[in-house]
Amino acid sequence: MLKVFPQLEGIGIDYAWSGLMSYARHQMPQIGQVEPGLWLAQAFGGHGVAPTTFAGEVLAAAIAQGDGRWKEFADYGLVSALKPAGFLGPS
């Protein structure tokens, strides 16, 4: 961190987040509808805020206005949301 922000030398860190990252092998976001009323946006490849914001806007337009732009991501596939049990199922 100090290589990028050397001005932070001597500043303490109170909290740090760690967790699972959602990466797709093709490094493209997966955006779409799993079934009517169940939408999915995942696998942003570590690219962060910009594609996440874009995905939210695409899904909001799909849900609120029937906008079909989300279908342009169909080639990148969707993975199971593991419903109804989610992560309770065997991996």
Side-chain angles (χ1 to χ4, degrees), residues 36-85:
L38 179 59
W39 295 86
L40 180 125
Q42 65 182 16
F44 297 102
H47 296 112
V49 176
T52 305
T53 301
F54 174 72
E57 291 173 349
V58 167
L59 290 184
I63 294 166
Q65 302 165 348
D67 188 323
R69 288 181 298 157
W70 64 273
K71 294 175 184 176
E72 295 175 21
F73 291 86
D75 289 345
Y76 302 111
L78 293 175
V79 299
S80 171
L82 301 174
K83 58 179 235 113

